[in-house]
C-alpha cells in the first residue's frame, strides 16, 4: 500500500474562485458596517500587508501575513485592521488550505472587483511566516507628512511617481476613523465604489484646514463633509505628482488600467512565486 504517503491538496483555479465567491457573499451579507461595506477595510488590509516591503533587504511584503502577531498588528498604522482580519476568519475556517497571506490579498482583489473596480489578476503561493518575520514599525506612510516622505516610503518599495499617484486613487474608497488614525471622514461621496472621484475632487474643490482639536487635515469648503490628508494634498502641490492627478481626473479608463497594474505589483512585492504559477482572473459576482 501507500502507507506513509500523505496526499497534499493542490487547489485549482476553481478552488480559488470558490474562496472569492465566499468573500463576495460575506461582503453582500454584512452590509451594516461603516458606509455599508467591509470592502474598503479589506483593501486597506491587503495594502498594509504588502506595503511593508523593502526592496534593499527583501523583507516585508504580503508573503507572511505577519500582521497576525502583536508586534506588527499593534503598529499605529494597523489600528482597526483587526476588523478586516476577523471578517475573513470564517472564510479561512471553511477553506483551511489557503494561507492567511494569500487570503488577505485575494480578499483585497475581491473587494476591488466587487466594488465595481477593474479586474485585478491574482497569483497564489504566499506562505505564512512566524512572529520573527514581523517588520519594524515605520514602514507605512505617515499621513501628516508631505511629498518627500511619500517618495521615501514608496521608492523603498520600488514604485515611481506615476505609480504613487495611481495607488493613491484607492482613497476613493472608505474613510478615516478618529478611533483608528485620529483623522475623520471620507474622501468621496461614494466610498464603496471604485471611481476616479478622488482625483476629480482634489482638483475641483477648495480645500481648507479643518478647525478642530484633531490632527491637521483638510475639508472641502463647500460641504465640509469630505476630507483630504496632508499626504493627499502633496499630490497636487508637487508638479511631478500633479501631472498624473490631471490625467486620472480626466480619464477614468486610464486610471482603471494603471490602478489594476500597480495594485497587482503592490500585492506581489517580495513574493517568490514558482515559475509555473499562472495568473488567475476571478469572475466578479455582480455582473
Ligand atoms: Fe490609505 N489611509 N493611505 N491607502 N487607505 C487610510 C484609509 C484607507 C494613507 C493613510 C490613510 C494608501 C495610501 C495611503 C486605503 C487604501 C490605501 C487612513 C484612515 C489613513 C490615515 C484609517 C482609519 O482611520 O481607519 C497614507 C498616508 C497613504 C500614503 O500614500 C494606498 C496606497 C492604499 C491602497 C492601494 C483605504 C481603502 C482606506 C479606507 C479604510 C477604511 O476602513 O475605510
Amino acid at each position: 500500500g501507500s502507507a506513509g504517503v500523505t496526499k497534499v491538496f493542490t487547489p485549482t483555479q476553481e478552488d480559488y474562485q470558490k474562496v472569492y465567491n465566499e468573500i463576495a457573499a460575506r461582503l453582500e451579507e454584512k452590509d451594516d458596517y461603516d458606509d455599508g461595506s467591509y470592502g474598503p477595510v479589506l483593501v486597506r488590509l491587503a495594502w498594509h500587508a504588502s506595503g511593508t516591503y523593502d526592496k534593499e533587504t527583501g523583507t516585508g511584503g504580503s508573503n507572511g501575513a505577519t500582521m497576525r502577531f502583536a508586534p506588527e498588528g499593534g503598529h499605529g498604522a494597523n489600528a482597526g485592521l483587526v476588523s478586516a482580519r476577523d471578517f475573513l476568519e470564517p472564510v479561512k475556517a471553511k477553506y483551511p488550505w489557503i494561507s492567511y497571506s494569500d487570503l488577505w490579498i485575494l480578499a483585497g482583489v475581491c473587494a476591488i472587483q466587487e466594488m465595481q473596480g477593474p479586474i485585478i489578476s491574482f497569483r497564489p503561493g504566499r506562505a505564512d511566516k512566524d512572529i520573527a518575520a514581523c517588520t519594524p514599525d515605520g514602514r507605512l506612510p505617515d499621513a501628516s507628512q508631505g511629498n518627500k516622505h511619500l517618495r521615501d516610503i514608496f521608492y523603498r518599495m520600488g514604485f515611481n511617481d506615476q505609480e504613487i499617484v495611481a495607488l493613491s486613487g484607492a482613497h476613493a474608497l472608505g474613510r478615516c476613523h478618529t478611533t483608528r488614525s485620529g483623522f475623520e471622514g471620507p474622501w468621496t461621496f461614494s466610498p464603496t465604489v471604485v471611481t476616479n472621484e478622488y482625483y476629480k475632487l482634489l482638483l475641483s474643490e477648495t480645500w481648507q484646514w479643518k478647525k478642530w482639536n484633531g490632527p491637521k487635515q483638510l475639508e472641502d469648503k463647500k460641504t465640509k463633509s469630505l476630507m483630504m490628508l496632508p499626504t493627499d494634498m502633496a499630490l497636487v502641490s508637487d508638479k511631478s505628482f500633479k501631472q498624473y492627478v490631471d490625467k486620472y481626473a480626466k480619464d477614468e479608463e486610464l486610471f482603471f488600467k494603471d490602478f489594476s497594474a500597480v495594485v497587482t505589483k503592490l500585492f506581489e512585492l517580495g513574493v517568490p512565486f514558482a515559475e509555473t504559477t499562472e495568473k488567475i482572473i476571478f469572475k466578479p459576482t455582480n455582473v
Side-chain angles (χ1 to χ4, degrees):
S2 54
V5 177
T6 313
K7 204 161 179 212
V8 177
F9 174 64
T10 311
T12 62
Q13 298 208 358
E14 288 68 44
D15 290 309
Y16 287 103
Q17 180 75 52
K18 279 183 197 162
V19 178
Y20 178 103
N21 293 350
E22 182 75 19
I23 297 164
R26 281 182 69 70
L27 280 173
E28 183 92 4
E29 176 197 321
K30 299 185 78 69
D31 63 357
D32 56 347
Y33 172 82
D34 251 5
D35 299 295
S37 175
Y38 272 91
V41 79
L42 290 182
V43 174
R44 193 165 199 244
L45 174 66
W47 138 237
H48 279 206
S50 309
T52 54
Y53 185 63
D54 173 27
K55 66 176 181 184
E56 297 301 327
T57 58
T59 56
S62 66
N63 191 39
T66 44
M67 205 198 297
R68 285 169 297 145
F69 305 113
E72 195 172 325
H75 291 170
N78 291 331
L81 292 181
V82 67
S83 67
R85 297 195 298 275
D86 287 351
F87 172 91
L88 293 171
E89 275 304 323
V91 184
K92 172 72 175 165
K94 191 162 173 183
Y95 300 98
W97 49 264
I98 195 169
S99 66
Y100 279 102
S101 21
D102 271 343
L103 176 63
W104 293 356
I105 297 304
L106 200 164
V109 168
C110 176
I112 290 169
Q113 293 192 174
E114 295 297 306
M115 292 189 289
Q116 299 167 51
I119 296 291
I120 313 283
S121 71
F122 173 81
R123 286 193 290 173
R126 295 164 191 77
D128 296 338
K129 295 183 184 169
D130 69 21
I131 193 168
C134 282
T135 48
D137 201 356
R139 287 199 177 180
L140 291 162
D142 170 356
S144 69
Q145 300 208 43
N147 53 355
K148 184 186 178 296
H149 174 73
L150 280 182
R151 289 198 172 91
D152 287 344
I153 293 285
F154 284 94
Y155 286 6
R156 188 207 67 226
M157 297 177 223
F159 292 112
N160 62 30
D161 287 359
Q162 173 265 318
E163 292 172 315
I164 292 172
V165 178
L167 278 172
S168 303
H171 282 172
L173 299 170
R175 59 168 55 245
C176 296
H177 307 77
T178 44
T179 51
R180 296 178 179 181
S181 59
F183 298 97
E184 178 57 28
W187 289 265
T188 67
F189 293 111
S190 51
T192 64
V193 186
V194 183
T195 64
N196 66 340
E197 278 298 315
Y198 168 80
Y199 305 106
K200 287 188 178 175
L201 290 160
L202 263 175
L203 297 175
S204 66
E205 298 313 302
T206 303
W207 296 96
Q208 59 188 24
W209 292 109
K210 181 181 170 77
K211 292 193 184 65
W212 73 327
N213 288 328
K216 285 185 84 170
Q217 68 174 70
L218 297 108
E219 66 185 8
D220 69 302
K221 196 175 174 194
K222 221 185 291 165
T223 73
K224 296 183 165 63
S225 57
L226 300 178
M227 69 92 60
M228 289 288 167
L229 300 164
T231 40
D232 295 310
M233 292 313 290
L235 303 186
V236 284
S237 59
D238 181 288
K239 272 202 186 122
S240 170
F241 286 145
K242 181 167 178 291
Q243 58 178 317
Y244 302 109
V245 175
D246 291 337
K247 280 187 188 168
Y248 296 141
K250 279 197 201 96
D251 189 345
E252 187 168 72
E253 211 175 304
L254 175 70
F255 167 57
F256 268 35
K257 180 178 144 283
D258 287 359
F259 185 65
S260 172
V262 78
V263 165
T264 301
K265 177 171 169 180
L266 172 72
F267 287 177
E268 298 195 342
L269 291 175
V271 184
F273 295 108
E275 296 251 339
T276 53
T277 305
E278 283 176 24
K279 282 190 171 157
I280 304 177
I281 302 295
F282 292 118
K283 227 165 80 64
T285 65
N286 53 6
V287 287

